[in-house]
Amino acid sequence: MGTSTGITARGRLALRAAKAAAWASQKAGRGKGSMIGGLVALKIDPELMRQLGRGRRTVLVTGTNGKSTTTRMTAAALETIDSVVTQADGANMDAGIVAALATDLAAPLAAIEVDELHTPHVADALDPRAIVLLNLTRDQLDRVGEINMIERKLREGLKRHPDAVIIANCDDVLVTSAAYDNPNVVWVAAGAGWANDSVSCPRSGEPIVREGNHWYSTGSDFARPTPDWWVDDENLYGPDGLVLPLTLTLPGRANRGNAAQAVAAAVALGADPAKAAAAASVVEEVAGRYKTVQVGPHSVHMLLAKNPAGWQEALSMIDPTVDGLVIAVNGQVPDGEDLSWLWDVRFEHFEGVQVVAAGERGTDLAVRLTYAGVEHTLVPDPLKAIASCPPGRVEVLANYTAFRDLNTAIARRAAHV
């Protein structure tokens, strides 16, 4: 099976032009060229995404946090069935999705990461077999807008796909609301470490009451569904008494929830649960996230966070025995220019760890750390901030462009050593 027979003459022209644009971008030293290729292709044929999706069984993965990791785990789990196309770099809007789908026209399966705002129209184009809903929290209010608006748009979009299996996190109130009315939902207790954006019911406006793992709305019969899948510190539990050991390469409780949803999605498409869980468990790096690199006398562990919920989760992954912690914050358009969310994050006091504030907005961060009672220094250049730490292990926690630019700087430094 494949999509090549379903592509029109204009679509084939668009793909050739995309390939040429990507080649030119690579030759000019401007990166891999997949995004420019996708943009060119869609200019020539706006219907190309629909054509590339035809004949494939596709899983879409969306939510505020964990999209790239869960997509990589889903792709690994689906590879136990057949060949899969997916994004290598987390480009989750239309051009990046088209570029990913074009990498292998014959692959019968696709695991596609999608920005929350783009999910409804991408689902309309690709007619997915499954849609994974991870979580919904505030993220870049200057771009995305209020989170309840996102929930309503997702809810409306999902109504147009009653045949799709919705793999939804029942611990997240907003995700549950988006999926609640669908006829074909697999509920996963994937965890919700951040509840500040769901204190009221998205359907009635009444308070949400939490009792242990359970939650319910005081204004309606809307409540946490009984999960079909769930995890603890050792195992993954599924339907019909299924118990599978789950030992992940990636750190953090959130990634255990991500793995549970990835496995549930792959099983919905016919994967063997044990094989899917084993495949998801060995994912160890996602577009540079979680990797460890040597920078001079420092062994640097890289973590990415982009919003309050993601920062809170990443901070819980920091090893308190490290020799240094660099926190780098930029405020460019992809990050969101409004950094007032820094005041929503609980910055803990890192006893015995040298903390360095860095990034273009390092001064904003330094003010926040001061009010949190965290002793720190300010070194705006993240590479110099790493160098200022004692030799040994350094954790780096950065937001999007700070993470991207630091990776580039480390690669350039390595090339000249």
Side-chain angles (χ1 to χ4, degrees):
M1 194 188 296
T3 65
S4 52
T5 54
I7 295 175
T8 64
R10 174 178 279 201
R12 288 194 290 275
L13 173 64
L15 288 173
R16 286 196 296 274
K19 204 169 181 180
W23 177 85
S25 178
Q26 289 168 19
K27 285 292 179 186
R30 298 188 172 216
K32 296 176 184 174
S34 56
M35 281 296 291
I36 187 65
L39 288 166
V40 167
L42 284 169
K43 280 287 186 189
I44 294 170
D45 189 349
E47 287 295 305
L48 186 59
M49 188 190 299
R50 189 179 302 275
Q51 296 168 46
L52 290 170
R54 208 171 284 145
R56 294 193 213 262
R57 294 193 298 150
T58 298
V59 177
L60 300 184
V61 179
T62 196
T64 310
N65 290 308
K67 291 188 291 291
S68 296
T69 301
T70 308
T71 301
R72 185 67 205 96
M73 288 177 167
T74 302
L78 289 174
E79 281 164 2
T80 66
I81 306 175
D82 211 327
S83 56
V84 183
V85 287
T86 190
Q87 293 109 318
D89 55 2
N92 58 28
M93 299 186 196
D94 293 18
I97 292 167
V98 163
L101 292 169
T103 56
D104 183 354
L105 299 182
L109 299 168
I112 299 296
E113 172 185 343
V114 193
D115 179 84
E116 308 92 282
L117 283 173
H118 288 238
T119 298
H121 76 256
V122 171
D124 292 344
L126 296 182
D127 193 20
R129 293 291 179 93
I131 302 173
V132 177
L133 302 181
L134 298 169
N135 47 68
L136 288 173
T137 64
R138 281 175 302 138
D139 183 32
Q140 298 183 25
L141 289 177
D142 47 356
R143 181 183 76 84
V144 177
E146 283 296 341
I147 198 63
N148 286 72
M149 177 269 290
I150 302 291
E151 185 275 324
R152 289 192 294 272
K153 287 189 173 181
L154 274 175
R155 196 193 313 178
E156 287 302 311
L158 293 177
K159 283 180 184 175
R160 300 195 291 271
H161 299 277
D163 295 332
V165 180
I166 312 300
I167 314 294
N169 179 5
C170 64
D171 289 328
D172 188 290
V173 174
L174 291 162
V175 156
T176 301
S177 179
Y180 207 63
D181 303 325
N182 282 68
N184 202 4
V185 184
V186 173
W187 297 107
V188 182
W194 183 267
N196 293 15
D197 297 318
S198 53
V199 294
S200 61
C201 176
R203 290 167 172 248
S204 68
E206 297 297 322
I208 291 288
V209 176
R210 298 177 187 275
E211 296 175 349
N213 290 329
H214 189 62
W215 56 260
Y216 62 91
S217 169
T218 55
S220 66
D221 60 359
F222 177 60
R224 180 184 188 260
T226 302
D228 302 293
W229 296 82
W230 64 99
V231 286
D232 59 20
D233 291 340
E234 295 178 357
N235 297 315
L236 169 64
Y237 303 87
D240 304 319
L242 178 71
V243 182
L244 295 169
L246 189 68
T247 305
L248 300 187
T249 310
L250 297 179
R253 282 166 49 191
N255 280 326
R256 296 189 71 75
N258 293 339
Q261 291 195 256
V263 171
V267 169
L269 266 67
D272 174 77
K275 289 180 181 176
S281 295
V282 297
V283 172
E284 60 183 4
E285 182 192 320
V286 182
R289 302 163 201 188
Y290 310 110
K291 75 177 179 182
T292 300
V293 292
Q294 196 66 33
V295 181
H298 299 103
S299 175
V300 179
H301 184 225
M302 306 279 289
L303 294 169
L304 171 70
K306 295 183 280 189
N307 47 60
W311 276 82
Q312 211 62 68
E313 182 60 36
L315 284 166
S316 75
M317 297 181 193
I318 300 297
D319 182 346
T321 68
V322 293
D323 301 290
L325 169 61
V326 173
I327 306 176
V329 177
N330 286 357
Q332 298 179 25
V333 171
D335 308 300
E337 296 172 340
D338 178 1
L339 293 192
S340 59
W341 56 263
L342 282 170
W343 295 87
D344 296 328
V345 178
R346 295 189 309 275
F347 286 96
E348 304 299 332
H349 190 76
F350 296 97
E351 283 293 344
V353 178
Q354 182 166 327
V355 178
V356 187
E360 296 166 358
R361 300 288 287 274
T363 305
D364 297 65
L365 174 62
V367 171
R368 175 70 187 98
L369 293 175
T370 299
Y371 275 87
V374 178
E375 288 187 26
H376 63 279
T377 55
L378 173 61
V379 182
D381 182 330
L383 207 52
K384 290 178 181 174
I386 293 169
S388 76
C389 293
R393 293 182 304 129
V394 175
E395 298 262 22
V396 173
L397 175 54
N399 68 351
Y400 182 75
T401 65
F403 185 90
R404 178 198 67 195
D405 295 348
L406 178 56
N407 268 305
T408 302
I410 289 172
R412 280 192 187 134
R413 183 184 185 281
H416 288 95
V417 171

